[in-house]
Amino acid sequence: MLIKKFSHIGITDISLVGGKNASLGEMYNQLTSKGVGIPNGFATTSSAYWKFLKENNIQEALENVISGLDRLEYSNLALIGDRARNLILKSELSKALTESIINAYNDLCGDTDMAVAVRSSATAEDLPDASFAGQHDTFLNIKGRDSLLQAVKKCFASLYTDRAIKYREDKGFLHKDIALSVGVQLMVRSDKGCSGVGFTIEPESGFENVILLSGVWGLGENIVQGTINPDEFYVFKPSLLKKKYPIVQKKLGDKKLTMVYADEAEKATTLNVPTQKEKQETYVLSDDEIITLGNWALLIEQHYKKPMDIEWAKDGISNKLFITQARPETVHQNKDKQIHVEYKLLEKGKIYTQGNAIGSKIKVGKAIILKSPNEAPSLTKDTIIITDTITPDWDPLLKKVGGIITNKGGRTSHAAIVARELGVPAIVGCGNATEQILNNETITLSCAQGRTGYVYKGNLSFKEREIDFSGIQMPLTEAKLILADPENAFNLSRYPNDGVGLLRMEFIITHKVKVHPMALVKFNQIKNAGTRKEIEKLTKNYADKPAYFIDQLSQGIATIAAAFYPKEVIVRLSDFKTNEYANLIGGADFEPHEENPMLGFRGASRYYNELYKEGFALECAAIKKVREDIGLTNLKVMIPFCRTIEEGKKVVTVMAENGLKRKDNNLKIYTMIEIPSNVILAKEFAEIFDGFSIGSNDLTQLTLGIDRDSEIMGKLFDENDVATKKMISMAIQSAKSTHTKIGLCGQAPSDFPEFAQFLVDEGIDSISFNPDALLQGIENINKAEQKHTTKKVTEISD
């Protein structure tokens, strides 16, 4: 059999048509009935390839050529690849194969010569431990019989690209055992629309509850090559399944270039043309289209029962979406999810540049700036290559180096995919790496600080440790996390935990929103022209300025709530002091000057005050969006610095007016215990709120009368002080008497085992830790619970 139509191909046909074509046929037959758009097509078989070699008598010649490969240094890889490809390109397709291809093309296109995509599919391709990403050639917009036949032969020859030869050597595949099938698929005119890729897991952390979609205008080769930074969309699977709004995060890429097909007069087949400014600032997909692709990706994952790497395209003529490829994700599914290697920088340094972090490692090495792989000197694992962008031609080099840094590229670029597969840390899409970093200087590449990677000057010290989560037993007392940065959420969700006891909203406002909420509500009152211009720039894609605040804040909160779903995540409403609020863009126009902001206009007092009430409404709207639109009802809300019972009632009323009514849709409202009045009147506060969280820093400050920021008084500031512990004990006992849940957020239980013992003995319900203190905190709680149990048994015996 020389040809098989997609309608007759299934996933069991890998040995006949390769992984790529087998997957296309499988989806065409099994998923089009469920609404997934798959362009029709056909494939040449492995039998056709073997017959092609036999009829041209070149199989033995190919084996002889490959036998001459230098398998130590691969010094003659380019020469060997060129000879092998020429053997194929100089050979002829048989009459039988030619007729079979033309007949299948006629059946596919009817009376009109239609454009097709001609894709290579190796018989060992897209296996769970090998993606073969970018190793073989694809030819797009092929029209007419002669062009099609020529493209088929070029696909055969691409089995011996330099990168494919090296890839098979690295993976242990025997060259003579691999055949090449050619898929011929109706062309999706994404050159007039958009295209991209997607993963049904988060590609860095392996977090399984989100789908990452990336997209660019025009042909998707710009994503693969990393030529430009694409748009990115994170889609939450549980929200998809519940028919809720599932988009938890959107990131606008620059999309400076659009790849289109060249005119026939051009020598090149494609051209990269500048993208119109308006389109650069517009997402390539609407929300409805993102949701459609998210649903399709989920259907594909469910069908294959494993995480998948997909390619999608939107036809700019018909405006229809299609899936053009799907392969198993190869990096995370074979990893032991209980083993985690943690990297941590131990010092700060000068930042040269930053971009998308690929992996979570830190690497110190010598920077080598390259314009092409042909320039490469002798490379070692102590080499970090710096270049503009990386294409599949670079692949033979990448296994030799310790790190990769590029100006261009996103999380789904070829550089990112190969770096993950090889376990090489990479930072892609820096924009200016080749300008900021000097050739041959020592640099530190850090991917250990969330989804943003940083390049530092010099050799910075760091530590590395392997953690086996399977050996960690969770205590009866809940061990939760204190979080602020959404970039770390997916990775940290893998740690043993009982949820998030404190989500600090301030970090998201400072780093993601950047603008004071009242400066958005009352934009026309801003006096400074520079400030107005800065706000206009940030909010240019929004119908109104307050919508910007709601959208940006909700994305940050939703990312963390999604990462830990369905575990409880408690978000604390904004607790900036007036001097901190004033530092936000536009903030100076709306904040009073205070001599002692620590004890001034902060926390609950702001939320019902006319100076901030409209800004607080935006915070409530963001939380409501996360809970109701996205469906993340695991998100609870906490009020900071609530001084009096009356103030507590006012805040709860204002929240209800803004759509956050206590107990509606299982909404729980907690308050911080951080003021002596909270402890003294804890039973009364329990009638207003659903739970308490002890803020040990502020409670210590106000119990001892010590400014916690004072360097002079620092030695007297002690959470272990008898008076502070007495306050904590009183709060816990009051909470127990009213059956109110109570926890503590702070460093002391991880730093001091005796403090953890005190909290356990008092009967605390939960303790929340900063991420770097979580594991030590769990250990301290476990030891404390063992001692507590032993003590109880002894008391009973006595």
Side-chain angles (χ1 to χ4, degrees):
M1 183 182 297
L2 302 177
I3 297 290
K4 285 199 81 171
K5 294 182 179 181
F6 280 4
S7 57
H8 297 139
I9 293 174
I11 199 60
T12 57
D13 292 317
I14 290 178
S15 62
L16 197 62
V17 295
K20 190 180 297 180
N21 289 331
S23 179
L24 284 169
E26 177 78 8
M27 291 190 295
Y28 184 81
N29 287 300
Q30 302 297 325
L31 297 179
T32 51
S33 61
K34 297 181 180 181
V36 181
I38 310 290
N40 196 7
F42 64 91
T44 65
T45 64
S46 55
S47 299
Y49 175 79
W50 294 126
K51 283 186 178 182
F52 169 77
L53 297 189
K54 186 175 181 181
E55 288 164 354
N56 287 281
N57 197 27
I58 59 172
Q59 187 161 5
E60 186 176 346
L62 280 169
E63 291 177 21
N64 289 336
V65 168
I66 292 296
S67 67
L69 181 64
D70 171 12
R71 287 181 165 85
L72 292 176
E73 299 293 332
Y74 294 94
S75 58
N76 62 347
L77 177 60
L79 177 65
I80 295 298
D82 186 59
R83 287 177 178 173
R85 292 191 297 274
N86 278 330
L87 278 172
I88 294 175
L89 291 171
K90 289 177 181 178
S91 300
E92 298 294 332
L93 300 178
S94 69
K95 182 180 178 182
L97 179 54
T98 297
E99 289 179 352
S100 296
I101 293 170
I102 289 174
N103 288 338
Y105 179 67
N106 290 340
D107 288 345
L108 181 65
C109 300
D111 297 331
T112 307
D113 282 353
M114 297 180 69
V116 291
V118 185
R119 307 180 188 278
S120 302
S121 179
T123 54
E125 198 164 25
D126 298 335
L127 298 179
D129 61 343
S131 71
F132 277 81
Q135 303 306 312
H136 309 116
D137 291 340
T138 290
F139 301 93
L140 302 176
N141 204 34
I142 301 299
K143 187 183 290 186
R145 291 148 187 79
D146 291 341
S147 297
L148 174 58
L149 294 170
Q150 187 179 11
V152 167
K153 198 158 64 168
K154 287 180 179 178
C155 283
F156 283 170
S158 76
L159 190 60
Y160 289 94
T161 60
D162 300 353
R163 57 187 183 268
I165 294 170
K166 183 65 166 59
Y167 190 89
R168 290 195 294 273
E169 290 284 325
D170 292 339
K171 291 292 182 181
F173 291 114
L174 294 176
H175 302 283
K176 65 183 180 64
D177 290 347
I178 309 297
L180 200 293
S181 165
V182 180
V184 179
Q185 192 177 25
L186 285 173
M187 193 67 212
V188 179
R189 293 304 303 268
S190 58
D191 60 308
K192 295 182 179 296
C194 57
S195 57
V197 298
F199 290 90
T200 63
I201 59 172
E202 203 279 316
E204 303 312 326
S205 64
F207 180 70
E208 296 179 352
N209 257 356
V210 293
I211 296 161
L212 169 62
L213 299 171
S214 298
V216 295
W217 296 115
L219 301 174
E221 192 65 16
N222 273 332
I223 283 188
V224 175
Q225 293 181 358
T227 310
I228 57 176
N229 295 318
D231 293 343
E232 291 183 351
F233 313 101
Y234 285 89
V235 180
F236 189 51
K237 293 177 187 175
S239 295
L240 269 178
L241 293 169
K242 292 178 182 177
K243 307 299 183 187
K244 292 281 189 176
Y245 179 81
I247 306 168
V248 295
Q249 200 174 121
K250 296 166 74 172
K251 180 181 176 183
L252 189 69
D254 57 34
K255 308 183 298 294
K256 290 182 179 179
L257 297 171
T258 300
M259 186 174 286
V260 297
Y261 296 122
D263 295 332
E264 292 183 8
E266 300 280 353
K267 289 184 179 179
T269 55
T270 59
L271 292 174
N272 248 339
V273 298
T275 307
Q276 295 172 359
K277 190 70 174 175
E278 183 182 349
K279 293 185 76 174
Q280 288 184 39
E281 297 173 356
T282 304
Y283 288 113
V284 297
L285 294 170
S286 67
D287 283 1
D288 286 345
E289 289 169 333
I290 295 166
I291 293 167
T292 294
L293 285 175
N295 279 314
W296 288 1
L298 193 55
L299 283 169
I300 292 168
E301 181 182 64
Q302 290 170 342
H303 179 77
Y304 285 106
K305 297 181 174 59
K306 62 183 69 173
M308 299 294 287
D309 168 3
I310 67 172
E311 294 183 16
W312 61 267
K314 179 182 176 181
D315 192 302
I317 299 172
S318 67
N319 287 323
K320 292 182 178 179
L321 290 167
F322 295 92
I323 300 295
T324 56
Q325 281 191 49
R327 60 176 73 88
E329 188 276 337
T330 57
V331 175
H332 291 285
Q333 61 179 300
N334 294 321
K335 279 187 177 180
D336 185 342
K337 295 179 182 177
Q338 293 299 316
I339 302 296
H340 177 70
V341 181
E342 183 179 79
Y343 291 80
K344 184 179 180 181
L345 273 177
L346 300 178
E347 57 182 315
K348 295 180 179 179
K350 177 183 177 182
I351 297 174
Y352 274 153
T353 188
Q354 64 189 63
N356 298 302
I358 307 302
S360 59
K361 296 180 180 179
I362 297 174
K363 180 66 182 178
V364 175
K366 184 171 76 170
I368 301 294
I369 299 176
L370 299 174
K371 291 183 179 178
S372 78
N374 299 326
E375 293 181 350
S378 178
L379 300 174
T380 69
K381 288 295 182 181
D382 292 322
T383 302
I384 299 175
I385 59 173
I386 322 292
T387 189
D388 191 53
T389 188
I390 281 178
T391 63
D393 294 331
W394 288 78
D395 290 2
L397 296 181
L398 301 186
K399 198 170 184 180
K400 299 178 181 179
V401 302
I404 303 163
I405 301 170
T406 68
N407 290 337
K408 299 170 182 173
R411 298 185 193 285
T412 50
S413 64
H414 180 77
I417 292 170
V418 174
R420 286 189 202 101
E421 191 170 307
L422 295 176
V424 176
I427 303 177
V428 300
C430 295
N432 59 354
T434 52
E435 298 170 10
Q436 295 296 314
I437 302 168
L438 297 177
N439 200 33
N440 291 320
E441 76 168 320
T442 299
I443 58 173
T444 299
L445 181 163
S446 173
C447 294
Q449 294 157 268
R451 292 208 305 273
T452 300
Y454 298 91
V455 183
Y456 297 94
K457 180 180 181 179
N459 182 346
L460 300 187
S461 58
F462 66 93
K463 69 176 181 179
E464 171 187 351
R465 65 167 176 160
E466 185 177 279
I467 309 165
D468 185 355
F469 291 149
S470 65
I472 297 175
Q473 180 182 346
M474 292 300 290
L476 295 175
T477 306
E478 291 183 337
K480 296 184 174 182
L481 279 157
I482 300 171
L483 286 185
D485 187 358
E487 287 203 355
N488 292 314
F490 294 139
N491 192 49
L492 289 172
S493 69
R494 300 170 54 206
Y495 281 59
N497 70 83
D498 291 305
V500 177
L502 173 60
L503 191 174
R504 291 191 176 109
M505 184 188 291
E506 298 81 26
F507 182 93
I508 301 170
I509 294 175
T510 301
H511 291 81
K512 195 170 174 66
V513 179
K514 302 179 182 178
V515 185
H516 193 291
M518 292 304 294
L520 296 165
V521 173
K522 298 187 175 183
F523 177 73
N524 293 332
Q525 295 183 18
I526 296 172
K527 303 177 184 69
N528 186 283
T531 300
R532 291 172 65 90
K533 186 176 180 181
E534 201 171 355
I535 295 173
E536 289 278 19
K537 184 178 179 181
L538 286 170
T539 61
K540 62 189 173 187
N541 292 321
Y542 290 84
D544 62 77
K545 289 173 175 55
Y548 164 79
F549 185 95
I550 296 166
D551 187 45
Q552 295 295 311
L553 180 58
S554 66
Q555 286 185 41
I557 294 171
T559 299
I560 295 176
F564 290 87
Y565 181 86
K567 297 174 184 175
E568 183 178 66
V569 173
I570 303 172
V571 58
R572 184 180 68 190
L573 294 166
S574 65
D575 192 26
F576 287 120
K577 288 73 177 175
T578 48
N579 58 322
E580 295 167 336
Y581 267 117
N583 287 330
L584 295 171
I585 298 170
D589 288 340
F590 299 96
E591 291 297 327
H593 173 73
E594 294 183 301
E595 292 299 327
N596 190 355
M598 187 74 79
L599 298 181
F601 189 43
R602 63 175 285 203
S605 298
R606 297 182 66 93
Y607 306 152
Y608 56 86
N609 191 290
E610 292 301 321
L611 290 176
Y612 189 73
K613 191 174 182 180
E614 291 171 280
F616 180 64
L618 302 186
E619 293 184 33
C620 292
I623 291 169
K624 184 180 179 183
K625 180 178 179 180
V626 174
R627 284 182 48 82
E628 297 187 10
D629 295 352
I630 301 176
L632 290 164
T633 52
N634 60 319
L635 185 71
K636 317 302 181 188
V637 184
M638 185 152 63
I639 310 299
F641 226 76
C642 184
R643 294 169 168 93
T644 68
I645 300 297
E646 188 61 33
E647 188 165 72
K649 291 178 180 178
K650 282 183 180 179
V651 171
V652 170
T653 299
V654 171
M655 288 178 66
E657 290 171 356
N658 285 295
L660 295 178
K661 187 175 181 182
R662 184 183 172 204
K663 297 184 179 178
D664 276 9
N665 202 13
N666 196 32
L667 174 62
K668 292 182 179 178
I669 302 177
Y670 296 174
T671 192
M672 298 287 292
I673 297 286
E674 50 193 344
I675 306 170
S677 63
N678 300 146
V679 178
I680 295 165
L681 299 176
K683 292 180 181 179
E684 288 80 358
F685 276 105
E687 295 176 10
I688 306 169
F689 298 107
D690 299 293
F692 299 142
S693 179
I694 300 169
S696 55
N697 285 337
D698 269 332
L699 187 58
T700 302
Q701 171 179 247
L702 296 173
T703 299
L704 299 180
I706 296 172
D707 182 347
R708 70 188 197 192
D709 291 337
S710 171
E711 292 182 15
I712 298 173
M713 302 299 293
K715 291 182 180 178
L716 284 176
F717 186 92
D718 183 10
E719 292 166 286
N720 265 309
D721 186 90
V722 175
T724 302
K725 291 174 77 171
K726 181 68 174 175
M727 281 286 193
I728 292 172
S729 177
M730 289 169 60
I732 295 173
Q733 297 317 310
S734 293
K736 292 294 177 187
S737 69
T738 57
H739 305 288
T740 305
K741 190 174 181 180
I742 187 166
L744 180 139
C745 301
Q747 194 72 15
S750 61
D751 289 346
F752 308 109
E754 65 273 17
F755 197 86
Q757 187 71 59
F758 158 69
L759 293 173
V760 168
D761 289 342
E762 290 294 325
I764 196 92
D765 293 311
S766 68
I767 305 175
S768 299
F769 303 94
N770 289 313
D772 60 353
L774 175 66
L775 299 181
Q776 183 61 54
I778 290 172
E779 183 179 330
N780 289 351
I781 296 173
N782 277 323
K783 289 179 180 178
E785 288 183 348
Q786 289 170 6
K787 286 184 180 179
H788 184 77
T789 301
T790 302
K791 182 181 177 183
K792 286 289 185 183
V793 171
T794 303
E795 289 174 353
I796 293 171
S797 300
D798 292 343

